[in-house]
Amino acid sequence: MTSHPVIFCDFDGTVTEKDNIVAIMEEFAPDGWQPIVKDILNESISIREGVGKLFSRISSDKRDEIIQFVLTRSKIRDGFQEFIDFTKKENIPLYIVSGGIDFFVHPVLENKIEAEQIICNGSDFSKEFIEITWPNACDDKCTNDCGCCKPSVIRRLEQKYPHSQKIVIGDSITDLQASKRADVVFARDYLIEKCEENSIPYTPFETFFDVIHALEKKEVRS
Ligand SMILES: [Mg+2]
Ligand SMILES: [Zn+2]
């Protein structure tokens, strides 16, 4: 590697093995949320609008139950702790950039990484129903209404780490725009298809041991 890396790693389906938002809806939302997910997937509404709508169906007093639910069911991908240790040893800044919501993302990552390294959406439980807040919304260069805008986050942090090699790790469509801005992409699942379609070089991975190994051996496609 020529320049020092900085890592932007997705959360749902990347750090955790499965997606949490849909699981939360299945468990806690009254029926009628499914068409909203469909609308998000076929892009007839933005991710920000859709995620806001989904959570607005759930009563604020479910907060602690949802946290327990996510903590109980979420399985962390193999090698994640070792990966964190590796980035510390190598002095590589690591950010978890997630379209998830703070109240369940932070507890899953507690005692693993610092809160400052987690970039995600926010939440407000002061009203009857859950309200999602958007501290990382799109900057003026993005018109996708992402919610947590990964390319905007990268643009912002690029200024903190000028000339660094940007590494993106992810699994799905929300990582595509970030992957276009990356120097190195680690992809699994649907993001592999999207990288192929867009001719973005990527290194496939299944566990974080694969990522550590590739970074140690400098066996990355870029
Ligand atoms: Mg994901
Ligand atoms: Zn955006």
Side-chain angles (χ1 to χ4, degrees), residues 20-67:
N20 290 299
I21 291 181
V22 167
I24 291 171
M25 292 307 135
E26 282 170 347
E27 187 75 10
F28 293 96
D31 230 22
W33 58 271
Q34 295 88 343
I36 304 173
V37 172
K38 228 184 205 170
D39 286 347
I40 298 174
L41 293 177
N42 66 29
E43 293 173 76
S44 60
I45 59 173
S46 71
I47 295 177
R48 191 190 57 80
E49 187 186 350
V51 170
K53 268 190 182 172
L54 286 171
F55 279 92
S56 75
R57 306 173 60 80
I58 301 178
S59 161
S60 289
D61 60 19
K62 292 285 180 199
R63 180 180 180 277
D64 293 345
E65 259 182 79
I66 297 175
I67 295 170

Side-chain angles (χ1 to χ4, degrees), residues 10-16 18-19 97-99 150 169-175 188:
D10 172 52
F11 180 73
D12 273 278
T14 299
V15 173
T16 62
K18 294 200 179 95
D19 194 271
V97 189
S98 169
K150 294 185 180 190
I169 307 174
D171 74 307
S172 90
I173 182 75
T174 57
D175 303 301
R188 58 175 300 279

Side-chain angles (χ1 to χ4, degrees), residues 154-173:
I154 293 180
R155 274 191 285 275
R156 192 172 77 217
L157 287 167
E158 266 170 359
Q159 295 164 15
K160 192 172 170 189
Y161 306 100
H163 315 299
S164 56
Q165 180 198 46
K166 296 182 285 290
I167 300 175
V168 164
I169 307 174
D171 74 307
S172 90
I173 182 75

Side-chain angles (χ1 to χ4, degrees), residues 83-200:
F83 173 64
I84 293 170
D85 297 341
F86 169 79
T87 61
K88 282 186 189 157
K89 190 183 83 199
E90 301 290 326
N91 239 321
I92 302 172
L94 166 66
Y95 291 93
I96 306 298
V97 189
S98 169
I101 323 298
D102 58 354
F103 75 103
F104 68 81
V105 174
H106 281 258
V108 172
L109 295 175
E110 203 178 0
N111 301 323
K112 292 188 171 63
I113 65 170
E114 303 295 325
E116 299 78 48
Q117 294 171 271
I118 305 170
I119 298 169
C120 63
N121 297 313
S123 50
D124 180 349
F125 294 88
S126 67
K127 299 179 194 101
E128 189 183 354
F129 292 98
I130 301 174
E131 199 176 299
I132 305 303
T133 61
W134 315 98
N136 301 291
C138 303
D139 63 17
D140 57 6
K141 292 192 177 68
C142 181
T143 54
N144 286 334
D145 200 23
C146 301
C148 177
C149 183
K150 294 185 180 190
S152 300
V153 167
I154 293 180
R155 274 191 285 275
R156 192 172 77 217
L157 287 167
E158 266 170 359
Q159 295 164 15
K160 192 172 170 189
Y161 306 100
H163 315 299
S164 56
Q165 180 198 46
K166 296 182 285 290
I167 300 175
V168 164
I169 307 174
D171 74 307
S172 90
I173 182 75
T174 57
D175 303 301
L176 175 61
Q177 297 306 322
S179 298
K180 287 180 183 171
R181 299 198 63 79
D183 301 302
V184 170
V185 177
F186 286 94
R188 58 175 300 279
D189 205 38
Y190 193 50
L191 184 59
I192 289 182
E193 266 173 59
K194 286 283 135 188
C195 284
E196 299 268 357
E197 266 175 47
N198 289 273
S199 308
I200 300 168

